[in-house]
Amino acid sequence: MSKVLLIDDDDNFRQVITQFLAKRGFEIAEASGGREGLRLATREPPDLIVCDQAMPDLDGHGVMAALRRDPRLAEIPVIFLTGEFHPQQVRMGMNLGADDYLTKPVNLQDLLDAINARLTRYLSSQERQEKQMARARQMFAEAIHDLRDPLFVIFGYTNMLQCDPGLGSPGGSEGKPILDRMQQAMVRMQTILADTMFLARSRSQRLPFDPGPFELREFCESLVANHDECQRLAFNCAPGVFPVIADALRLRQALENLLANALKYSTASVLVTLRTALGGYQIEVEDQGIGIPLAEQANIFEPFFRASNTTGTPGHGLGLSIVKSCLEQHGGSVRFLSDGQRGTTFILELPAAASRPDPLPAKCEERARLPVVPAVLTEAPAGEPRRGRAAVVQGGGRLRGVIIDDDSLVRGVLRDLVEVANDVEIVGEASTVAQARVLVRHQVPDVVFLDVNLPDGSGFDLLPDLKPNASVIFVTSAEEYAVQAFDCEAADYLLKPVSAERLRKALARVRQRLSAQVRSARFAGSQLDDSFLVKTLTEKRLVRVGDIRRIAAYGEYSWVYWDKGKGALLRKSLKQWVSELPGAQFVRVHRRAIVNLAFMERLEKLPAGRMQIHLRDTVDPILVSLRLAPALNRKLKH
């Protein structure tokens, strides 16, 4: 039985409405004024409220505003009754969230129809919310369940090591297998946590989305060619170009999930096909594997769902949910074909263009300073001179590093991992942005291990205080800031927990950057003849640095274009290119673009002091940012 609260100061009117609705199965609560109605609604929330507009103590608009301020009452549907129908009053009521307006004297059947319509919509909405909450609780329970097994492995082996420390020693016969199994368990936990957080953020619209233009055929060719099991992959596409505006990292994530599933559940070859479709493109991934049972196909994109025929094959049921989220971000979709017995074809539908996001936060472009508070510093040994950057690179000396994290246990583990790597001397630690500002100003580190979420702000707030040549390695649990970090030219982005091997690779990237900076300062002119290898599905070729026309950034990746629009997606950030390319010829004109001035055709002035560059054999002009325009003008004058 649905409960209706009737608020009206006319006793006779309330009596008529109450008798009418009670005969039709409603439970009725009555209030003779707005304030009394609010008290009744607060004490026992109804399913719907019928409220008079003109009342002496508190009118209908006042009742409505109070209801919408209370989270418990905000979603209850409200039908206004009024003796005078003024459009201005109707607009005001609708702006406050009213669901319907009826005029007095009211037709009782119209009132009944309005109540039934609003209740049906309200109860359907409540049912959907309850199902979503039930699904969220189920997802949480399944994530916890999937984490228990690897956690059991870690606890079991750590107990063994506590009882017999010799098991974990390098010379112990069982030491390496035990440590390997513990690390495998931790990697599995990290994967489950990262995928679960990705889904949660995508559902709440908090996932970064950074689309840009690139050539989809070359993108797919490169992905297939560089896949670990590419000997079982084939690519099919008609000749021509397939320009698209999309987030290359998100699209890569979706395709890699599909390829991994196809190769995991099939021993035969997998075919990737790209074709044009109405208003965009279709990418198909076709395998000859175990198929998807017909009775279970409706649930295949649900988080943590695994088909009954996948038992015994490792996995946690999040891959296809991630694929769906990635495609929906682009305004696209994913569907599949499977007869339930053998083979599955997944079809990604991608629009040819996607809306661009807002620019990156100003902290990546214009960096502002904030107040400084005292910090606790770890002093360098007295009497030891600080070695120059070139001396550190050439002599192989240890880098100066600082650790910024608000968790002392994390700082301790990270310090131990860095000491094992034996490549960095930790000269200080901080737990807040304010402490970190003092620390980096005092110690001038070569490398900064930086968390994103700190008690007094974001790790990105520290970037303006670092010297230009300092390398930043983000170490964080927050996956969603990776694109922003690489756009801010971070050396690497590590997700907790961090393995020693992953940290070693990050430090190797820092070393490569330092070496490139020194080489570029000394041998800039000779680099025009240097070459780099480009591999696609159909060829491998060397491209001269001097032939590069432009480079466009996509997070930690970049599209490099040379002769007449030919290009390739390489895992190298724009900051790395800036440090390695000869500065006399290559100039950064935008946070996402580097151009080769040797191919500049003309410079066009735009309104509001903006400019854009036109390159030979390049259709689209390249916008010059206001911040980088002075540097371009100096290069052109020189």
Side-chain angles (χ1 to χ4, degrees):
M1 180 184 296
S2 298
K3 181 176 181 178
V4 174
L5 172 61
L6 177 60
I7 307 175
D8 197 293
D9 60 343
D10 187 328
D11 295 339
N12 293 329
F13 180 81
R14 287 201 317 276
Q15 183 178 358
V16 172
I17 299 298
T18 298
Q19 291 176 354
F20 175 77
L21 294 179
K23 288 180 180 179
R24 281 144 185 86
F26 292 97
E27 178 186 352
I28 308 298
E30 295 183 49
S32 59
R35 299 191 187 281
E36 182 186 358
L38 286 176
R39 284 194 296 270
L40 291 177
T42 303
R43 187 165 62 239
E44 191 173 347
D47 297 309
L48 181 141
I49 297 174
V50 177
C51 184
D52 188 18
Q53 171 57 44
M55 293 180 289
D57 63 337
L58 182 66
D59 66 9
H61 290 157
V63 172
M64 190 72 198
L67 290 171
R68 294 307 182 238
R69 286 196 298 268
D70 188 332
R72 294 188 311 133
L73 310 177
E75 300 300 324
I76 296 176
V78 176
I79 297 175
F80 273 141
L81 298 176
T82 178
E84 298 182 4
F85 192 85
H86 295 297
Q88 186 176 1
Q89 287 187 338
V90 173
R91 282 198 302 273
M92 183 183 301
M94 291 300 182
N95 288 338
L96 288 170
D99 294 88
D100 207 343
Y101 256 91
L102 296 176
T103 57
K104 294 181 178 180
V106 64
N107 182 292
L108 294 180
Q109 186 59 47
D110 288 345
L111 176 62
L112 180 63
D113 292 342
I115 289 174
N116 286 331
R118 303 310 167 196
L119 279 176
T120 299
R121 182 191 301 174
Y122 174 63
L123 295 176
S124 297
S125 174
Q126 291 288 96
E127 186 179 349
R128 284 196 303 272
Q129 291 179 11
E130 288 174 4
K131 286 182 178 179
Q132 290 173 353
M133 288 300 297
R135 185 59 190 161
R137 287 192 292 268
Q138 182 183 355
M139 283 180 59
F140 181 75
E142 288 169 342
I144 297 300
H145 176 272
D146 283 349
L147 289 171
R148 280 177 176 167
D149 286 344
L151 199 58
F152 171 78
V153 172
I154 295 169
F155 276 125
Y157 282 130
T158 51
N159 286 336
M160 289 175 59
L161 293 174
Q162 284 178 330
C163 297
D164 186 359
L167 288 176
S169 63
S173 59
E174 298 183 37
K176 191 174 189 309
I178 286 177
L179 295 176
D180 286 345
R181 289 169 193 150
M182 290 174 65
Q183 189 140 10
Q184 289 170 8
M186 287 187 287
V187 169
R188 184 179 172 193
M189 290 176 67
Q190 184 179 15
T191 302
I192 294 172
L193 288 170
D195 287 349
T196 304
M197 292 302 294
F198 177 93
L199 278 178
R201 290 174 182 128
S202 67
R203 298 290 172 87
S204 61
Q205 304 296 316
R206 291 176 53 210
L207 203 62
F209 185 56
D210 190 20
F214 58 90
E215 215 290 320
L216 190 56
R217 180 180 60 80
E218 293 178 358
F219 175 86
C220 293
E221 281 186 348
S222 174
L223 181 64
V224 171
N226 286 286
H227 203 280
D228 290 340
E229 298 186 63
C230 60
Q231 65 271 14
R232 290 175 49 205
L233 292 175
F235 181 66
N236 180 35
C237 180
V241 294
F242 294 77
V244 69
I245 297 177
D247 187 320
L249 298 182
R250 291 284 166 249
L251 187 58
R252 187 183 190 95
Q253 188 173 18
L255 284 171
E256 284 185 338
N257 269 292
L258 288 181
L259 293 178
N261 279 353
L263 293 167
K264 181 164 61 174
Y265 297 117
S266 170
T267 57
S269 62
V270 175
L271 177 62
V272 180
T273 303
L274 172 63
R275 58 169 57 95
T276 58
L278 184 62
Y281 308 109
Q282 282 186 356
I283 305 173
E284 296 182 2
V285 178
E286 180 182 1
D287 67 56
Q288 304 300 318
I290 60 177
I292 303 171
L294 294 176
E296 301 173 4
Q297 291 186 0
N299 301 317
I300 201 66
F301 292 109
E302 290 294 320
F304 292 101
F305 178 82
R306 300 197 71 204
S308 57
N309 59 349
T310 63
T311 304
T313 306
H316 50 272
L318 289 173
L320 291 179
S321 297
I322 289 175
V323 173
K324 187 172 183 288
S325 291
C326 289
L327 265 295
E328 287 175 348
Q329 273 193 300
H330 289 84
S333 62
V334 57
R335 53 190 173 90
F336 64 91
L337 303 173
S338 178
D339 62 6
Q341 300 295 324
R342 178 177 176 81
T344 304
T345 300
F346 280 91
I347 303 167
L348 307 184
E349 296 179 332
L350 190 69
S355 60
R356 290 182 174 273
D358 293 333
L360 281 179
K363 62 186 75 170
C364 292
E365 291 283 350
E366 302 295 336
R367 297 168 169 178
R369 296 185 176 274
L370 297 177
V372 174
V373 300
V376 178
L377 308 179
T378 302
E379 295 287 350
E384 283 193 13
R386 294 179 181 173
R387 305 178 67 189
R389 183 169 298 271
V392 170
V393 174
Q394 293 171 352
R398 298 172 74 191
L399 303 173
R400 296 171 56 79
V402 296
I403 299 173
I404 317 297
D405 197 292
D406 60 330
D407 191 316
S408 59
L409 290 177
V410 171
R411 294 200 304 272
V413 171
L414 192 54
R415 177 186 281 273
D416 291 340
L417 288 171
V418 170
E419 288 179 355
V420 169
N422 198 32
D423 196 31
V424 178
E425 174 193 2
I426 298 299
V427 297
E429 299 178 11
S431 60
T432 66
V433 175
Q435 290 179 2
R437 285 196 173 96
V438 178
L439 178 62
V440 298
R441 193 176 301 124
H442 182 78
Q443 295 291 354
V444 194
D446 300 305
V447 58
V448 178
F449 301 94
L450 181 61
D451 193 8
V452 172
N453 295 315
L454 296 167
D456 59 340
S458 165
F460 291 98
D461 297 333
L462 180 66
L463 300 184
D465 296 86
L466 301 178
K467 295 296 182 182
N469 291 328
S471 295
V472 176
I473 298 175
F474 281 95
V475 184
T476 178
S477 301
E479 182 189 42
E480 69 268 27
Y481 299 106
V483 172
Q484 182 180 342
F486 286 114
D487 273 336
C488 291
E489 301 172 345
D492 213 332
Y493 195 89
L494 310 183
L495 289 175
K496 300 172 183 175
V498 179
S499 67
E501 175 63 19
R502 185 67 182 85
L503 182 62
R504 185 191 64 77
K505 291 180 179 179
L507 291 174
R509 295 183 69 179
V510 172
R511 284 286 183 184
Q512 290 171 359
R513 280 190 172 194
L514 292 173
S515 299
Q517 289 168 5
V518 173
R519 287 199 310 271
S520 115
R522 295 185 176 181
F523 309 109
S526 63
Q527 286 185 301
L528 291 174
D529 293 323
D530 289 346
S531 301
F532 56 94
L533 180 66
V534 174
K535 182 173 72 169
T536 68
L537 195 64
T538 55
E539 66 172 347
K540 294 181 181 178
R541 61 172 295 175
L542 289 172
V543 178
R544 287 179 64 251
V545 170
D547 292 336
I548 296 175
R549 280 165 165 73
R550 61 187 176 95
I551 303 173
Y554 295 96
E556 60 180 314
Y557 293 84
S558 55
W559 274 102
V560 184
Y561 296 91
W562 57 93
D563 183 35
K564 295 180 180 179
K566 292 182 179 179
L569 183 68
L570 304 180
R571 184 164 186 145
K572 183 180 286 191
S573 70
L574 224 60
K575 185 174 182 179
Q576 288 175 273
W577 282 112
V578 168
S579 66
E580 296 175 9
L581 292 171
Q585 188 163 325
F586 290 88
V587 59
R588 187 170 188 171
V589 297
H590 192 271
R591 69 178 180 88
R592 297 177 62 112
I594 294 175
V595 298
N596 186 343
L597 295 180
F599 292 95
M600 189 178 81
E601 186 176 72
R602 61 190 174 91
L603 185 64
E604 179 184 2
K605 292 185 177 181
L606 302 174
R610 307 301 294 267
M611 298 185 296
Q612 59 185 15
I613 289 180
H614 293 262
L615 300 178
R616 295 199 306 272
D617 300 321
T618 302
V619 176
D620 297 324
I622 300 165
L623 185 68
V624 180
S625 75
L626 291 174
R627 185 173 67 90
L628 295 172
L632 173 63
N633 287 327
R634 287 194 297 270
K635 287 284 180 70
L636 293 175
K637 289 179 181 178
H638 179 72

mmCIF file of all heavy atoms in Angstrom, residues 15-32:
data_model
loop_
_atom_site.group_PDB
_atom_site.id
_atom_site.type_symbol
_atom_site.label_atom_id
_atom_site.label_comp_id
_atom_site.label_asym_id
_atom_site.label_seq_id
_atom_site.Cartn_x
_atom_site.Cartn_y
_atom_site.Cartn_z
ATOM 1 N N GLN A 15 -10.826 16.399 3.310
ATOM 2 C CA GLN A 15 -11.733 15.294 3.597
ATOM 3 C C GLN A 15 -12.171 14.588 2.303
ATOM 4 O O GLN A 15 -12.189 13.354 2.231
ATOM 5 C CB GLN A 15 -12.960 15.811 4.348
ATOM 6 C CG GLN A 15 -13.935 14.720 4.760
ATOM 7 C CD GLN A 15 -15.112 15.273 5.552
ATOM 8 O OE1 GLN A 15 -15.187 16.478 5.822
ATOM 9 N NE2 GLN A 15 -16.034 14.403 5.938
ATOM 10 N N VAL A 16 -12.496 15.383 1.265
ATOM 11 C CA VAL A 16 -12.928 14.799 -0.015
ATOM 12 C C VAL A 16 -11.792 13.971 -0.640
ATOM 13 O O VAL A 16 -12.008 12.827 -1.077
ATOM 14 C CB VAL A 16 -13.391 15.911 -0.980
ATOM 15 C CG1 VAL A 16 -13.645 15.338 -2.370
ATOM 16 C CG2 VAL A 16 -14.644 16.591 -0.445
ATOM 17 N N ILE A 17 -10.597 14.548 -0.687
ATOM 18 C CA ILE A 17 -9.463 13.863 -1.326
ATOM 19 C C ILE A 17 -9.096 12.602 -0.534
ATOM 20 O O ILE A 17 -8.820 11.543 -1.107
ATOM 21 C CB ILE A 17 -8.247 14.805 -1.435
ATOM 22 C CG1 ILE A 17 -8.602 16.022 -2.299
ATOM 23 C CG2 ILE A 17 -7.047 14.079 -2.014
ATOM 24 C CD1 ILE A 17 -8.969 15.685 -3.721
ATOM 25 N N THR A 18 -9.109 12.712 0.809
ATOM 26 C CA THR A 18 -8.742 11.556 1.641
ATOM 27 C C THR A 18 -9.697 10.398 1.403
ATOM 28 O O THR A 18 -9.283 9.239 1.245
ATOM 29 C CB THR A 18 -8.745 11.968 3.127
ATOM 30 O OG1 THR A 18 -7.760 12.977 3.337
ATOM 31 C CG2 THR A 18 -8.447 10.775 4.013
ATOM 32 N N GLN A 19 -11.027 10.653 1.405
ATOM 33 C CA GLN A 19 -12.010 9.585 1.197
ATOM 34 C C GLN A 19 -11.849 8.953 -0.190
ATOM 35 O O GLN A 19 -11.915 7.727 -0.344
ATOM 36 C CB GLN A 19 -13.428 10.143 1.361
ATOM 37 C CG GLN A 19 -13.772 10.529 2.793
ATOM 38 C CD GLN A 19 -15.151 11.165 2.904
ATOM 39 O OE1 GLN A 19 -15.821 11.434 1.886
ATOM 40 N NE2 GLN A 19 -15.597 11.424 4.139
ATOM 41 N N PHE A 20 -11.610 9.793 -1.202
ATOM 42 C CA PHE A 20 -11.456 9.291 -2.574
ATOM 43 C C PHE A 20 -10.244 8.366 -2.702
ATOM 44 O O PHE A 20 -10.337 7.268 -3.265
ATOM 45 C CB PHE A 20 -11.348 10.476 -3.537
ATOM 46 C CG PHE A 20 -11.081 10.074 -4.956
ATOM 47 C CD1 PHE A 20 -12.091 9.558 -5.764
ATOM 48 C CD2 PHE A 20 -9.797 10.207 -5.496
ATOM 49 C CE1 PHE A 20 -11.826 9.177 -7.080
ATOM 50 C CE2 PHE A 20 -9.530 9.834 -6.797
ATOM 51 C CZ PHE A 20 -10.542 9.324 -7.594
ATOM 52 N N LEU A 21 -9.100 8.799 -2.180
ATOM 53 C CA LEU A 21 -7.874 8.002 -2.323
ATOM 54 C C LEU A 21 -7.891 6.775 -1.421
ATOM 55 O O LEU A 21 -7.356 5.715 -1.790
ATOM 56 C CB LEU A 21 -6.652 8.876 -2.009
ATOM 57 C CG LEU A 21 -6.378 10.033 -2.990
ATOM 58 C CD1 LEU A 21 -5.155 10.835 -2.534
ATOM 59 C CD2 LEU A 21 -6.157 9.500 -4.410
ATOM 60 N N ALA A 22 -8.501 6.888 -0.219
ATOM 61 C CA ALA A 22 -8.550 5.736 0.687
ATOM 62 C C ALA A 22 -9.346 4.593 0.061
ATOM 63 O O ALA A 22 -9.001 3.408 0.237
ATOM 64 C CB ALA A 22 -9.147 6.151 2.024
ATOM 65 N N LYS A 23 -10.453 4.909 -0.655
ATOM 66 C CA LYS A 23 -11.246 3.869 -1.303
ATOM 67 C C LYS A 23 -10.451 3.154 -2.399
ATOM 68 O O LYS A 23 -10.814 2.046 -2.799
ATOM 69 C CB LYS A 23 -12.506 4.490 -1.904
ATOM 70 C CG LYS A 23 -13.540 4.925 -0.863
ATOM 71 C CD LYS A 23 -14.753 5.517 -1.530
ATOM 72 C CE LYS A 23 -15.791 5.967 -0.491
ATOM 73 N NZ LYS A 23 -16.997 6.567 -1.116
ATOM 74 N N ARG A 24 -9.412 3.769 -2.899
ATOM 75 C CA ARG A 24 -8.602 3.168 -3.968
ATOM 76 C C ARG A 24 -7.298 2.561 -3.446
ATOM 77 O O ARG A 24 -6.348 2.350 -4.180
ATOM 78 C CB ARG A 24 -8.331 4.221 -5.051
ATOM 79 C CG ARG A 24 -9.553 4.385 -5.946
ATOM 80 C CD ARG A 24 -9.767 5.789 -6.402
ATOM 81 N NE ARG A 24 -11.042 5.879 -7.161
ATOM 82 C CZ ARG A 24 -12.228 6.069 -6.581
ATOM 83 N NH1 ARG A 24 -12.307 6.222 -5.268
ATOM 84 N NH2 ARG A 24 -13.333 6.115 -7.308
ATOM 85 N N GLY A 25 -7.247 2.330 -2.150
ATOM 86 C CA GLY A 25 -6.162 1.542 -1.582
ATOM 87 C C GLY A 25 -4.966 2.318 -1.087
ATOM 88 O O GLY A 25 -3.941 1.715 -0.751
ATOM 89 N N PHE A 26 -5.041 3.631 -1.006
ATOM 90 C CA PHE A 26 -3.904 4.418 -0.529
ATOM 91 C C PHE A 26 -4.001 4.634 0.979
ATOM 92 O O PHE A 26 -5.107 4.773 1.524
ATOM 93 C CB PHE A 26 -3.849 5.787 -1.221
ATOM 94 C CG PHE A 26 -3.510 5.709 -2.689
ATOM 95 C CD1 PHE A 26 -4.517 5.740 -3.646
ATOM 96 C CD2 PHE A 26 -2.190 5.597 -3.087
ATOM 97 C CE1 PHE A 26 -4.214 5.660 -4.989
ATOM 98 C CE2 PHE A 26 -1.871 5.521 -4.446
ATOM 99 C CZ PHE A 26 -2.884 5.555 -5.391
ATOM 100 N N GLU A 27 -2.837 4.692 1.633
ATOM 101 C CA GLU A 27 -2.770 5.121 3.031
ATOM 102 C C GLU A 27 -2.540 6.634 3.031
ATOM 103 O O GLU A 27 -1.594 7.120 2.395
ATOM 104 C CB GLU A 27 -1.625 4.406 3.752
ATOM 105 C CG GLU A 27 -1.452 4.836 5.201
ATOM 106 C CD GLU A 27 -0.217 4.235 5.854
ATOM 107 O OE1 GLU A 27 0.429 3.366 5.229
ATOM 108 O OE2 GLU A 27 0.113 4.660 6.978
ATOM 109 N N ILE A 28 -3.404 7.375 3.745
ATOM 110 C CA ILE A 28 -3.362 8.835 3.674
ATOM 111 C C ILE A 28 -2.931 9.419 5.021
ATOM 112 O O ILE A 28 -3.438 9.023 6.078
ATOM 113 C CB ILE A 28 -4.739 9.420 3.299
ATOM 114 C CG1 ILE A 28 -5.276 8.745 2.032
ATOM 115 C CG2 ILE A 28 -4.653 10.929 3.103
ATOM 116 C CD1 ILE A 28 -4.415 8.952 0.814
ATOM 117 N N ALA A 29 -1.980 10.364 4.981
ATOM 118 C CA ALA A 29 -1.633 11.196 6.138
ATOM 119 C C ALA A 29 -2.004 12.634 5.790
ATOM 120 O O ALA A 29 -1.772 13.074 4.652
ATOM 121 C CB ALA A 29 -0.149 11.077 6.458
ATOM 122 N N GLU A 30 -2.604 13.367 6.751
ATOM 123 C CA GLU A 30 -3.074 14.721 6.474
ATOM 124 C C GLU A 30 -2.311 15.744 7.291
ATOM 125 O O GLU A 30 -1.915 15.491 8.434
ATOM 126 C CB GLU A 30 -4.566 14.838 6.824
ATOM 127 C CG GLU A 30 -5.478 13.988 5.977
ATOM 128 C CD GLU A 30 -6.937 14.221 6.338
ATOM 129 O OE1 GLU A 30 -7.340 15.419 6.416
ATOM 130 O OE2 GLU A 30 -7.665 13.234 6.564
ATOM 131 N N ALA A 31 -2.105 16.937 6.697
ATOM 132 C CA ALA A 31 -1.508 18.072 7.400
ATOM 133 C C ALA A 31 -2.238 19.330 6.958
ATOM 134 O O ALA A 31 -2.517 19.523 5.763
ATOM 135 C CB ALA A 31 -0.025 18.184 7.094
ATOM 136 N N SER A 32 -2.558 20.216 7.922
ATOM 137 C CA SER A 32 -3.337 21.423 7.619
ATOM 138 C C SER A 32 -2.462 22.621 7.272
ATOM 139 O O SER A 32 -2.981 23.719 7.057
ATOM 140 C CB SER A 32 -4.232 21.777 8.813
ATOM 141 O OG SER A 32 -3.426 22.001 9.971
#
